Amino acid sequence: ALPIWNLPGLGFAPKIFITARSGRNWQKLIDVALKLFKQAHERVPTAELNRLLKAAVLKTSPPSKQSRRAKILYASQAAVAPPTIVVFCNDPALIPTNYRRYLLSELRRSVPFPDIPIRLVLRRRDSVAPAGIEEPDAEAPRESIESEE
């Protein structure tokens, strides 16, 4: 069995050690729960999400698949509790799971809810607009990760 403090995929979550017998750290647990509740209801403006997403794509571009490149166009926060970020791209099938995890970790570093699981949904955009977050050169280019096609 895995120790509770070493659960894969939950490295971002805060850890509080409490005792049932003495009640030690119960107030700390309540304080963290309130902090997590506030974080879960935070919103990030679309412009800020797009700036963070563009920086992540420029740092590491999506890999090519079957000689096709994924083009990440823009993102928007669709919901809170859990924070749901919808990323529009040319084809969600072109973005592998490891790159989705990369995007989540890059976003997590800058969003106001670093201790909350983020739901990332990739969605195909029917018409690709030229003003998106695309790679400058057309030839060159996690928590829960979903794809909608």
Side-chain angles (χ1 to χ4, degrees):
L2 284 173
I4 192 77
W5 57 86
N6 195 19
L7 293 174
L10 290 176
F12 59 86
K15 291 134 187 96
I16 304 296
F17 298 98
I18 62 170
T19 62
R21 184 171 292 182
S22 69
R24 198 164 100 218
N25 287 338
W26 70 270
Q27 187 58 49
K28 192 174 187 180
L29 177 67
I30 299 298
D31 294 343
V32 169
L34 290 172
K35 179 181 115 180
L36 293 176
F37 180 81
K38 288 178 184 175
Q39 282 186 20
H41 289 84
E42 289 282 336
R43 285 204 166 270
V44 178
T46 300
E48 177 70 11
L49 276 177
N50 287 330
R51 186 187 64 74
L52 296 171
L53 196 60
K54 183 176 184 176
V57 169
L58 290 175
K59 183 177 172 184
T60 304
S61 55
S64 60
K65 186 176 182 181
Q66 300 169 350
S67 72
R68 292 182 60 207
R69 290 249 177 233
K71 293 179 183 158
I72 296 176
L73 304 169
Y74 63 96
S76 180
Q77 185 175 352
V80 296
T84 303
I85 298 174
V86 180
V87 176
F88 290 88
C89 58
N90 62 337
D91 186 359
L94 295 175
I95 300 176
T97 304
N98 63 339
Y99 193 76
R100 295 172 193 205
R101 278 191 226 114
Y102 161 75
L103 289 176
L104 270 175
S105 67
E106 288 295 310
L107 287 171
R108 183 173 303 288
R109 292 181 189 162
S110 302
V111 293
F113 33 82
D115 302 325
I116 299 291
I118 300 172
R119 187 170 168 235
L120 183 70
V121 178
L122 296 176
R123 189 173 290 164
R124 178 190 304 267
R125 178 157 176 221
D126 293 330
S127 60
V128 178
I133 303 172
E134 297 180 24
E135 214 35 52
D137 181 5
E139 297 299 316
R142 211 224 173 264
E143 349 61 297
S144 102
I145 302 172
E146 299 179 10
S147 179
E148 292 184 5
E149 295 186 50

